[in-house]
Amino acid sequence: PYLSTNKYDVRVHRSQPKTNGELTDSWGIFKPSDFLDLDTLQGFLNQLLVHQDKLIAWQNQGISLLSVNERSVTQDNNGALQLASGGVLARYDYISKVIGSQHQFGFTQSQDSVFFFDINTKNIYKMTQNAPEAITVSKSLASYLNNNLNGLLQISDNPYLNKGLTCTYDFKYNEAFFT
């Protein structure tokens, strides 16, 4: 049977391209068919960040790169090189289907990295380029987090009610803070 729904917890919408001097702001126009749905098996879409010209999506158990105007060089039948470009949100590729994050405020960025927390693995990660690295082991926090992270933090995501996680980055001292 068909079930009608209006809840799309893994959907990423795209607006129309912006043109300088336009009378109507195209960034505010979202056509009904301009979207990309991520894999629902990885959980809800909790965060979208742009970092170093890449659009990255975090789900409960997954991190993916979303394509935005990708360019590649191809070779035709005559051996000539041609520049090809893809569309906006044409596809996505998973970096991980194990690591993710369900805390929407558990992200912060430095100039070269994204720091985030994953309750499922009980790790803080530093992501440079396309690979997340667990920094809780190198900072000797793994056993502390495993022994102390339980209860409401595993199911709650509202730091305003002291039932969640939030973080920030201090650019002066190059430190990420999680609370």
Side-chain angles (χ1 to χ4, degrees):
Y2 173 76
L3 295 175
S4 177
T5 183
N6 60 359
K7 183 177 178 185
Y8 304 100
D9 50 16
V10 294
R11 181 164 288 180
V12 181
H13 291 272
R14 73 172 173 95
S15 68
Q16 296 302 299
K18 176 85 169 149
T19 305
N20 288 335
E22 64 187 8
L23 297 176
T24 305
D25 187 4
S26 295
W27 282 348
I29 300 171
F30 295 87
K31 293 186 177 178
S33 62
D34 289 344
F35 64 86
L36 177 67
D37 284 337
L38 301 176
D39 187 354
T40 57
L41 293 175
Q42 307 318 122
F44 302 134
L45 173 62
N46 297 309
Q47 186 65 267
L48 277 174
L49 289 177
V50 175
H51 185 71
Q52 296 180 345
D53 295 333
K54 292 184 179 8
L55 182 59
I56 309 168
W58 277 266
Q59 292 172 264
N60 290 7
Q61 296 174 327
I63 305 170
S64 57
L65 289 176
L66 283 67
S67 67
V68 179
N69 290 335
E70 289 184 323
R71 293 181 182 93
S72 63
V73 177
T74 60
Q75 193 170 13
D76 66 9
N77 294 337
N78 299 327
L81 295 177
Q82 296 180 341
L83 181 63
S85 63
V88 177
L89 297 180
R91 59 181 253 262
Y92 61 93
D93 298 303
Y94 275 97
I95 298 169
S96 173
K97 287 192 171 186
V98 175
I99 301 167
S101 182
Q102 66 187 42
H103 293 93
Q104 62 181 331
F105 301 105
F107 294 84
T108 189
Q109 296 186 59
S110 69
Q111 291 180 358
D112 63 347
S113 302
V114 176
F115 296 89
F116 66 96
F117 174 74
D118 181 12
I119 190 66
N120 296 320
T121 60
K122 294 187 179 179
N123 277 313
I124 297 171
Y125 291 91
K126 176 182 179 182
M127 193 157 105
T128 56
Q129 301 299 343
N130 297 338
E133 170 194 355
I135 60 173
T136 49
V137 175
S138 64
K139 302 296 182 186
S140 300
L141 291 171
S143 63
Y144 176 79
L145 293 180
N146 275 321
N147 293 333
N148 292 293
L149 292 181
N150 48 33
L152 287 178
L153 188 59
Q154 293 178 323
I155 57 172
S156 298
D157 184 26
N158 193 339
Y160 301 113
L161 299 175
N162 293 323
K163 297 177 183 176
L165 175 88
T166 188
C167 62
T168 190
Y169 191 79
D170 183 351
F171 286 92
K172 182 175 180 181
Y173 296 106
N174 296 321
E175 294 177 329
F177 294 97
F178 290 80
T179 183

